[in-house]
Amino acid sequence: MKIASVTVNRNDGYKDFERGLIHFKSMVDTFDEVNYVDWNSENGSFIWEIENKLPKKGKINHYCIPPNIVNQIIFDQSAQKCNEAISRNIAIKRSNADWIVSTNIDVIPPTRRELKSLIKNLNKNTFYTISRREAPKEVIKNNSKTIKELRESLINIPARHFPAKVTPNDEYSLINCCGDFQIAHRSVWEKIKGFEEEMIYACFVDTNVQKKAVLNGFNLEVKYEPAIYHMEHGAYFTKEDGTRIIDNKNVGAYKGDNKAYNDVWCWVENFDKSKNTKDWGLGQIDIEVEVI
């Protein structure tokens, strides 16, 4: 059984380097395949900034989609600078893992033992989302010498029960921030054709993909175990040279800040059929991959 993860990011200073390093180290410990898609970075891939500190186990597949390529795919200047749908689909489409997790770069996953135990009891015809737990930046800062030490420092953080609806008839979100850790068998991802690629703006991409699963005859379920942790954003995290400090008062005031949002009524309330083609995930294009 092979388990893969998919993470997307843009090198714009918002998702900072210290948390990114913690994320990748923990992902390499947990997963057989760690897919990272760097989308639209103007100054080179995020992963190149921390590559010299990453464990070199041949598990990380790095796809870099620079601005000159992005501009040939998306023409709307108000589109999300770090695309969520096409970018994730690039990695999902090219993975041959049995189970695929779509997650974020500020997340610490369960241990490998915990994840394998979870999957052993999952249904191949169900799309799952796991609710995150909030990891305070002070705890991350003071206990990040090793991933094992960090997890031990977070063990008492309770599960986060935060039901949510984004439209009156939304029975699909299940929880707030349902896209932090979405897991399904590869056959599910293939049947639903991944994330909707016309959703080029911010928000609701995660809810939409869960509705897609239901529309395609799959079950949908939220779980609260095992623990996954969301690393709190804040000024404790900086680049090594001291630049790009993220001030809690100004979170969002960066080049990646989104100006337009996907229409929630179109993509959640009234959505009934995928617009993706058989070439979703840029399947017709040979994309170079760096293995780390």
Side-chain angles (χ1 to χ4, degrees):
M1 178 179 66
K2 186 176 182 181
I3 314 169
S5 67
V6 173
T7 303
V8 174
N9 194 39
R10 180 172 185 257
N11 194 5
D12 59 8
Y14 179 55
K15 296 298 175 68
D16 57 273
F17 297 91
E18 187 171 353
R19 282 182 303 149
L21 188 58
I22 292 169
H23 169 81
F24 281 113
K25 285 182 175 180
S26 61
M27 298 301 277
V28 168
D29 280 350
T30 295
F31 289 89
D32 301 297
E33 175 186 290
V34 178
N35 294 287
Y36 171 67
V37 182
D38 192 274
W39 182 272
N40 201 23
S41 293
E42 295 176 355
N43 298 308
S45 175
F46 178 91
I47 210 169
W48 291 335
E49 303 270 8
I50 58 174
E51 189 169 359
N52 64 329
K53 291 188 175 183
L54 293 176
K56 308 300 190 297
K57 296 187 178 181
K59 287 187 174 185
I60 300 176
N61 293 331
H62 171 217
Y63 299 91
C64 185
I65 315 298
N68 64 312
I69 301 299
V70 170
N71 292 335
Q72 297 177 44
I73 300 169
I74 299 175
F75 304 104
D76 189 337
Q77 294 302 307
S78 62
Q80 190 178 27
K81 297 298 183 182
C82 186
N83 176 276
E84 289 289 323
I86 302 172
S87 52
R88 293 184 188 278
N89 283 354
I90 285 171
I92 293 169
K93 185 82 168 184
R94 288 158 179 79
S95 176
N96 63 0
D98 302 290
W99 291 87
I100 300 174
V101 172
S102 176
T103 187
N104 295 316
I105 204 165
D106 50 14
V107 163
I108 301 172
T111 65
R112 181 170 180 80
R113 178 184 58 80
E114 289 171 334
L115 188 58
K116 289 183 72 175
S117 177
L118 169 72
I119 290 175
K120 186 177 180 181
N121 295 297
L122 296 186
N123 186 323
K124 291 182 179 180
N125 292 312
T126 299
F127 191 101
Y128 298 90
T129 181
I130 302 179
S131 186
R132 74 191 195 191
R133 305 178 187 207
E134 297 298 335
K137 57 184 178 292
E138 295 90 346
V139 177
I140 302 292
K141 177 72 174 180
N142 296 327
N143 297 277
S144 57
K145 290 182 180 179
T146 68
I147 299 301
K148 183 175 184 295
E149 176 188 276
L150 181 54
R151 282 200 175 98
E152 289 174 350
S153 71
L154 300 171
I155 198 167
N156 292 322
I157 295 176
R160 178 176 175 267
H161 292 261
F162 194 163
K165 285 190 173 188
V166 298
T167 65
N169 295 306
D170 172 20
E171 302 297 333
Y172 314 100
S173 294
L174 301 184
I175 52 171
N176 176 261
C177 297
C178 57
D180 278 313
F181 207 86
Q182 293 175 306
I183 178 170
H185 193 268
R186 182 180 58 174
S187 59
V188 177
W189 289 109
E190 290 177 346
K191 179 69 179 294
I192 68 176
K193 298 178 183 177
F195 294 88
E196 278 303 291
E197 296 185 353
E198 289 192 13
M199 298 185 75
I200 61 173
Y201 308 110
C203 293
F204 316 122
V205 176
D206 50 356
T207 295
N208 174 269
V209 80
Q210 296 190 173
K211 182 171 184 178
K212 287 179 70 176
V214 173
L215 292 176
N216 279 275
F218 298 107
N219 302 313
L220 182 62
E221 186 176 334
V222 60
K223 288 189 173 293
Y224 300 92
E225 299 287 347
I228 69 160
Y229 300 101
H230 171 255
M231 292 178 278
E232 182 183 13
H233 303 199
Y236 280 91
F237 298 98
T238 68
K239 192 177 176 182
E240 283 187 357
D241 63 5
T243 61
R244 304 191 187 191
I245 294 175
I246 299 178
D247 184 339
N248 282 333
K249 296 179 181 179
N250 296 304
V251 168
Y254 299 94
K255 289 189 293 182
D257 195 22
N258 302 306
K259 303 300 182 183
Y261 296 86
N262 291 308
D263 185 335
V264 67
W265 295 96
C266 171
W267 294 106
V268 179
E269 184 79 1
N270 300 318
F271 179 83
D272 60 3
K273 186 178 180 181
S274 175
K275 298 180 182 180
N276 287 352
T277 70
K278 65 179 181 180
D279 291 324
W280 63 276
L282 304 183
Q284 77 281 21
I285 299 175
D286 185 17
I287 299 178
E288 183 178 1
V289 58
E290 175 191 14
V291 180
I292 301 171

